[in-house]
Amino acid sequence: MKKTNHYINTVFTAQDPILESVISSIEENGMPSISVSPSSGKLLTMLVSISDAKNVLEIGALGGYSGICLVRGFNSKEGKLTSLELEESYAQLAYRNLENAGFGEQVAYRTGAALESLEKLVEENRKFDFFFIDADKENYENYLNYCLKLAAPGALIVADNVLAAGTVVDETIQATRNTEIMKAFNKTVANHPQLESMLIPVGDGLTLSKVNN
Ligand code: SAH
Ligand code: MG
């Protein structure tokens, strides 16, 4: 897996000064190095573009790496990203990074526990055509249920880290607290009556789930 990812990153992703500056800003601020991989980021850009998404909801912003990748996929300036982040200081850094990348007008952050922000979005009757789930893994199933409530017909729900560093497929690697969580989440999206799903083993694994109308 590591070799495969290294190969894909090398051949399919180019030097990217904007994303590299995001990574540096995350390190300088003592934040965790858990942004999506360059190849996952590029795939997010392509998925937003291919699906012609106009309203994206991200759960888990960190420093704005995946946020930039998502916004880059918009086919017009009308595209809007709403991003949920627990930590106020992380959301502020993410906003600065999106602003520096030229996307300040296209993003809105909501801070605090994502479950509370999601409840508010439901009350506001908001709809999204693309979701990216990448926050606390314990809540993935809850986030999925909220995404279904907020989904426009045919929306795409993408979730990150579904391979849990390879532990969901390789018993010789020491399991982590996310192993069983991700195994259960993968089964849920694979068998969900409202979803058609596939797992893409790029980076730490992404599930793609299309919402049936
Ligand atoms: N999507 C980002 C990485 C996100 S890391 C990228 O690839 O660039 C996970 C983020 O989820 C962290 O910033 C963490 O603060 C946030 N998070 C954790 N628990 C959360 C919660 N309950 N509500 C909202 N955000 C949460
Ligand atoms: Mg992730």
Side-chain angles (χ1 to χ4, degrees):
M1 268 312 291
K2 273 216 173 101
K3 276 193 169 169
T4 306
N5 272 323
H6 179 73
Y7 175 77
I8 296 171
N9 280 334
T10 308
V11 178
F12 287 90
T13 66
Q15 287 269 90
D16 195 319
I18 290 175
L19 293 180
E20 280 154 27
S21 78
V22 173
I23 296 296
S24 310
S25 73
I26 288 170
E27 284 166 9
E28 283 158 18
N29 285 277
M31 291 157 59
S33 299
I34 50 173
S35 307
V36 291
S37 72
S39 48
S40 294
K42 183 167 175 190
L43 185 56
L44 289 176
T45 303
M46 292 179 68
L47 288 169
V48 169
S49 173
I50 293 164
S51 64
D52 200 25
K54 293 175 174 64
N55 277 295
V56 176
L57 180 65
E58 173 181 66
I59 307 174
L62 193 69
Y65 189 106
S66 56
I68 289 173
C69 296
L70 290 163
V71 176
R72 278 178 174 173
F74 287 134
N75 294 324
S76 91
K77 284 273 169 207
E78 306 297 296
K80 285 265 172 355
L81 170 69
T82 302
S83 182
L84 313 182
E85 172 54 50
L86 181 65
E87 304 288 345
E88 179 77 45
S89 64
Y90 291 10
Q92 280 171 9
L93 179 71
Y95 181 71
R96 285 201 298 280
N97 282 331
L98 266 90
E99 212 176 22
N100 288 339
F103 301 130
E105 314 259 277
Q106 285 175 279
V107 65
Y109 287 91
R110 293 192 181 201
T111 52
L115 286 175
E116 288 174 22
S117 300
L118 288 162
E119 185 58 40
K120 287 216 183 75
L121 291 167
V122 171
E123 283 164 19
E124 292 168 22
N125 232 335
R126 290 282 301 271
K127 293 289 172 208
F128 298 90
D129 45 16
F130 194 109
F131 300 86
F132 181 50
I133 302 175
D134 193 20
D136 49 324
K137 310 309 166 196
E138 296 78 11
N139 275 313
Y140 265 38
E141 299 252 357
N142 296 327
Y143 295 149
L144 175 69
N145 290 329
Y146 269 109
C147 291
L148 287 166
K149 288 190 195 179
L150 292 162
L156 198 58
I157 302 172
V158 181
D160 189 37
N161 305 108
V162 297
L163 290 175
T167 59
V168 303
V169 287
D170 188 349
E171 288 102 58
T172 66
I173 315 174
Q174 178 72 50
T176 69
R177 67 200 175 96
N178 289 334
T179 308
E180 291 307 316
I181 293 174
M182 286 311 180
K183 280 188 179 173
F185 179 80
N186 289 333
K187 277 196 180 162
T188 298
V189 294
N191 298 299
H192 200 290
Q194 283 173 269
L195 299 173
E196 184 172 31
S197 300
M198 186 41 66
L199 192 158
I200 313 291
V202 156
D204 194 24
L206 296 168
T207 49
L208 311 187
S209 300
K210 184 157 192 269
V211 181
N212 301 326
N213 296 346

